[in-house]
Amino acid sequence: MENTGKTITEIAEEIGHSQPSVTKIIKEMTAADLVNSNLQSDDKRRNVVGLTKKGIEVSKTLEIQCADIENAIENMTAEASHNLWEAIAEWEFLLEKKSLFKRVLDQKKNRESQDVQIVEYQPKYQEAFRALNEEWISTYFEMEEADYKALDNPKEYILDKGGKIFVALYNDEPLGVCALIKMNDVNYDFEMAKMAVSPKAQGKSIGWLLGQKVVDSARELGASKLYLESNTILKPAINLYYKLGFEKVAGHATPYKRCNIQMELVL
């Protein structure tokens, strides 16, 4: 700090601290007789701070010590195989992009997702298929006629027409489901529908794994386009669909009142 006198704001900007932080530092330095915080100023509204005689002497000593430290660090940098400051800057950049907490959660999700098994539908999973779908639909909307058709008669409504249903097992418990429904449509071969994941299974990438399985299955069946309907209130689901490669479309007839977004995936 030069002894020309500076305001709290000027000091804060120069050293990159907040004004409350600088105010606290100045109080401590004033108590140690290192600064005078009541210097005369042309503008009486400005509180100007300057070094005392003792502060000037201490600052001279600190300048010499800082030069020694800087030279020592430069010598170490020249001797080292890696630049510590560049590494720290790189780590700060990476942590700004994604926090360590988020990275740990991602590792947890990846580890748990390895225990998820995607299997094809069997009659023993009909209750889970219905319950998982009814749970989320009833939470946000209301069950509709088209829901009952598919959930009460999955074999007749989905499987016998050339579709598939996939079940996500975690520790052998069915916690997620999704269907690939054959469509009688000039534009679309199949619809991805009836995706539901138990709230207790969130964070295990079950939705992503089911979505990938449905997309892969549609390709294997020779589909050129995959269609889906949803509602924008379901933000995690919409984000998942975009991640899978779906894009928003409009104008297709829908049997659902809750549908306010339609999407397609060109395979």
Side-chain angles (χ1 to χ4, degrees):
M1 184 189 298
E2 298 175 3
N3 199 30
T4 55
K6 292 182 182 291
T7 65
I8 297 294
T9 300
E10 290 170 339
I11 296 170
E13 291 177 352
E14 188 169 323
I15 67 174
H17 280 232
S18 66
Q19 290 193 32
S21 172
V22 172
T23 299
K24 182 179 179 182
I25 293 171
I26 293 301
K27 286 182 179 179
E28 293 174 354
M29 293 181 71
T30 300
D33 193 29
L34 295 174
V35 299
N36 183 350
S37 59
N38 295 306
L39 295 180
Q40 293 295 320
S41 169
D42 293 337
D43 186 347
K44 294 183 180 180
R45 294 170 299 178
R46 288 157 52 96
N47 185 21
V48 179
V49 178
L51 293 171
T52 62
K53 183 177 180 180
K54 179 181 178 182
I56 293 172
E57 294 301 319
V58 170
S59 70
K60 291 179 180 178
T61 302
L62 288 175
E63 285 179 4
I64 296 171
Q65 291 177 345
C66 285
D68 290 341
I69 293 170
E70 186 174 346
N71 289 332
I73 290 174
E74 287 180 356
N75 290 336
M76 287 180 64
T77 300
E79 294 176 19
S81 301
H82 305 284
N83 190 307
L84 175 62
W85 305 121
E86 290 181 0
I88 291 174
E90 185 177 14
W91 272 66
E92 287 179 341
F93 171 75
L94 292 172
L95 290 172
E96 284 178 1
K97 289 177 61 179
K98 183 188 291 188
S99 70
L100 181 60
F101 177 69
K102 181 64 169 60
R103 292 172 186 272
V104 171
L105 289 181
D106 287 346
Q107 290 299 315
K108 178 176 181 289
K109 181 186 292 187
N110 291 337
R111 171 174 50 79
E112 291 182 340
S113 68
Q114 293 175 6
D115 295 325
V116 176
Q117 183 182 9
I118 307 298
V119 300
E120 291 207 24
Y121 177 87
Q122 297 179 37
K124 65 180 180 179
Y125 297 128
Q126 180 173 353
E127 183 179 347
F129 181 58
R130 190 186 200 285
L132 288 168
N133 271 282
E134 187 172 7
E135 181 179 23
W136 81 261
I137 294 171
S138 300
T139 298
Y140 296 99
F141 311 101
E142 61 181 21
M143 293 282 286
E144 300 181 43
E145 182 181 355
D147 293 312
Y148 290 113
K149 286 182 179 179
L151 299 179
D152 290 338
N153 305 284
K155 183 177 184 299
E156 176 187 351
Y157 188 79
I158 299 174
L159 302 177
D160 290 348
K161 293 182 179 180
K164 289 179 176 290
I165 299 173
F166 298 99
V167 181
L169 304 178
Y170 183 72
N171 293 331
D172 294 324
E173 181 181 1
L175 295 180
V177 292
C178 190
L180 180 65
I181 300 177
K182 188 75 173 71
M183 296 180 69
N184 183 19
D185 188 277
V186 296
N187 295 312
Y188 301 105
D189 304 294
F190 290 92
E191 176 184 4
M192 183 166 78
K194 297 295 176 280
M195 178 184 283
V197 178
S198 171
K200 66 181 180 180
Q202 291 177 356
K204 295 177 174 56
S205 299
I206 287 179
W208 170 252
L209 294 172
L210 282 168
Q212 283 186 312
K213 185 66 176 179
V214 167
V215 170
D216 290 343
S217 181
R219 285 198 181 97
E220 291 171 2
L221 291 171
S224 59
K225 280 186 180 180
L226 191 56
Y227 173 78
L228 69 79
E229 298 179 339
S230 189
N231 189 292
T232 50
I233 195 175
L234 307 171
K235 291 183 179 180
I238 301 300
N239 289 335
L240 170 63
Y241 301 145
Y242 278 120
K243 187 177 178 182
L244 286 168
F246 282 86
E247 297 292 338
K248 184 178 177 181
V249 294
H252 199 278
T254 174
Y256 294 103
K257 292 187 293 184
R258 62 176 178 266
C259 171
N260 73 352
I261 183 172
Q262 299 169 320
M263 307 180 79
E264 70 173 17
L265 174 63
V266 179
L267 300 171

